[in-house]
Amino acid sequence: MSDCLFCKIIAGEIPSKKVYEDALCYAFYDIDPQAPTHFLVVPKAHIPSAAHISTKNEAVVGHIFSVIAALAKELGFAEQGYRVVSNIGEQGQQTVPHLHFHVLAGRDMTWPPG
């Protein structure tokens, strides 16, 4: 989508600090980090939110979670733990209508989160 912020980041039209990239997804550091480590992982295909995951695109979500697990090990926070969050819709505080997963680590996470 030409007007999507994350599609523009994936295309290199908007700069980002890349964490990881492959044929299916792109990971980059959040510009307003909420933890010492905070990056997002997004599918390269435009999917509006987790509410739009279907049998047609579910494989990319599984792939993203395997990438997150590998990055957690590579970046050294897998043993301590981390949180993966996907906000969906207005009440869920989704601000960019492109499926994305926040990966937060490096501090204790509170519960409940909201």
Side-chain angles (χ1 to χ4, degrees):
M1 292 188 68
S2 62
D3 61 338
C4 172
L5 175 66
F6 290 166
C7 288
K8 289 179 179 181
I9 289 172
I10 292 164
E13 296 171 20
I14 296 175
S16 65
K17 187 175 176 188
K18 180 169 64 171
V19 177
Y20 175 85
E21 181 177 17
D22 65 23
L24 297 177
C25 67
Y26 186 76
F28 58 97
Y29 285 101
D30 195 294
I31 62 168
D32 183 24
Q34 301 300 304
T37 299
H38 184 178
F39 59 88
L40 290 85
V41 185
V42 302
K44 286 188 171 180
H46 185 85
I47 302 168
S49 76
H52 295 86
I53 296 169
S54 69
T55 56
K56 292 179 183 176
N57 58 26
E58 66 189 4
V60 72
V61 177
H63 175 73
I64 285 171
F65 273 87
S66 68
V67 166
I68 290 169
L71 289 172
K73 290 176 189 168
E74 181 182 316
L75 297 174
F77 58 82
E79 293 296 320
Q80 294 293 332
Y82 55 99
R83 181 170 286 166
V84 179
V85 177
S86 184
N87 301 322
I88 299 122
E90 186 178 332
Q91 287 190 346
Q93 299 300 303
Q94 183 180 5
T95 57
V96 178
H98 185 124
L99 177 64
H100 57 285
F101 297 93
H102 293 264
V103 180
L104 302 109
R107 69 168 173 84
D108 287 339
M109 301 293 157
T110 59
W111 197 263

